[in-house]
């Protein structure tokens, strides 16, 4: 029979996103077998992260100062704005090294089913950003779902009221690289045809 404290540790680890019972047990065994120095260092790093990382005042990305590294980088293209749902989405786009503009993180999406809208503080923050910059191009990189589409449409209507000259774009959707047509569903094929490029 496992000690009660071991069960508490597993329960705590299971509260982490993506960690199930088996993974939690594996991590728990790993931690129990490590020495005190390792555990103390791990706890200190978690605490340091919690104490020093906050949200960028301008875009909601992670930051250690008032502005994140992207917003404070004057070499970024200042007239382009990419709107994403989460910080994870921002990081995914950054990893492609194909976008050099600014971002805005919504920290969520409109929920069509429950009719839940976006946080009003986030909306006000976005409006302040649009008023303080001249964005010639706004790219919507929300999810290709009903909620993602509703979010993009909602944000577009807000920005259009503030800027009459902004051009709006949606991330193209189609067939992934190294994929075969017979594995694609009808919706994916439809968007792949609509988003065809000159060859």
């Amino acid at each position: 029979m496992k000690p009660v404290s071991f069960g508490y540790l597993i329960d705590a680890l299971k509260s982490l996103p993506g960690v199930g019972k088996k993974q939690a047990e594996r991590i728990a065994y790993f931690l129990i077998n490590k020495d005190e120095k390792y555990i103390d260092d791990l706890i200190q790093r978690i605490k340091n992260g919690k104490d020093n990382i906050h949200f960028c005042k301008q875009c909601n990305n992670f930051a250690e100062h008032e502005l994140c590294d992207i917003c404070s980088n004057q070499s970024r293209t200042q007239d382009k704005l990419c709107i994403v749902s989460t910080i994870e989405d921002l990081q995914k786009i950054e990893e492609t090294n194909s976008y050099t503009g600014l971002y805005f993180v919504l920290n969520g999406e409109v929920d069509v089913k429950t009719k839940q809208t976006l946080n009003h503080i986030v909306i006000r923050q976005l409006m302040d950003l649009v008023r303080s910059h001249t964005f010639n191009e706004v790219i919507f990189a929300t999810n290709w779902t009903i909620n993602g589409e509703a979010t993009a449409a909602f944000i577009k209507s807000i920005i259009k009221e503030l800027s009459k000259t902004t051009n709006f774009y949606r991330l193209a959707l189609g067939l992934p690289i190294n994929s075969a047509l017979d594995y694609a569903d009808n919706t994916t094929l439809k968007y792949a045809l609509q988003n065809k490029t000159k060859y």
Side-chain angles (χ1 to χ4, degrees), residues 8 10 13 18 26 33 43 56 71 114 118 160 163-164 176 180:
Y8 286 153
I10 289 173
L13 293 169
R26 200 156 45 239
N33 283 298
I43 292 171
C56 174
C71 288
T114 64
L118 296 167
K160 280 183 78 172
S163 176
K164 306 297 182 185

Side-chain angles (χ1 to χ4, degrees), residues 9-198:
L9 177 57
I10 289 173
D11 285 342
L13 293 169
K14 278 166 54 182
S15 70
L16 297 171
V19 177
K21 185 180 178 183
K22 288 292 183 185
Q23 291 117 319
E25 286 184 353
R26 200 156 45 239
I27 296 169
Y29 282 118
F30 172 81
L31 292 174
I32 293 298
N33 283 298
K34 300 304 284 187
D35 59 29
E36 289 294 325
K37 184 179 182 307
Y38 179 90
I39 299 299
D40 289 343
D41 184 54
L42 178 62
I43 292 171
Q44 189 59 47
R45 290 187 185 204
I46 293 172
K47 191 174 185 311
N48 284 344
K50 182 63 178 173
D51 290 343
N52 297 320
I53 298 172
H54 54 272
F55 294 109
C56 174
K57 183 181 177 182
Q58 179 169 287
C59 77
N60 289 324
N61 185 21
F62 285 144
E64 289 187 302
H65 305 287
E66 189 173 63
L67 296 178
C68 69
D69 292 341
I70 294 173
C71 288
S72 60
N73 185 353
Q74 291 303 307
S75 66
R76 303 282 300 201
T77 308
Q78 299 293 310
D79 65 348
K80 289 186 179 181
L81 180 67
C82 182
I83 296 177
V84 296
S85 301
T86 66
I87 293 175
E88 290 91 337
D89 294 339
L90 181 157
Q91 295 298 335
K92 194 73 176 175
I93 294 172
E94 277 297 284
E95 287 171 8
T96 68
N97 293 316
S98 58
Y99 176 72
T100 60
L102 301 178
Y103 292 91
F104 187 82
V105 183
L106 296 171
N107 285 324
E109 291 185 342
V110 170
D111 191 319
V112 174
K113 190 173 182 180
T114 64
K115 297 183 180 178
Q116 182 177 334
T117 187
L118 296 167
N119 187 300
H120 70 278
I121 296 174
V122 172
I123 297 301
R124 195 182 315 127
Q125 189 179 1
L126 174 60
M127 292 171 71
D128 290 341
L129 177 62
V130 173
R131 288 191 186 104
S132 63
H133 286 68
T134 302
F135 291 116
N136 295 321
E137 184 176 303
V138 170
I139 303 167
F140 293 105
T142 52
N143 293 315
W144 277 97
T145 60
I146 293 174
N147 289 346
E149 283 292 281
T151 302
F154 174 62
I155 297 298
K156 181 181 177 181
S157 67
I158 291 173
I159 297 176
K160 280 183 78 172
E161 288 295 316
L162 301 172
S163 176
K164 306 297 182 185
T165 59
T166 301
N167 297 301
F168 297 97
Y169 299 89
R170 192 80 167 92
L171 283 189
L173 186 69
L175 295 171
I177 294 174
N178 296 325
S179 64
L181 284 180
D182 57 346
Y183 287 105
D185 59 81
N186 290 340
T187 303
T188 300
L189 274 176
K190 182 181 82 170
Y191 280 112
L193 287 167
Q194 291 176 350
N195 297 315
K196 63 184 182 296
T197 56
K198 193 172 182 181

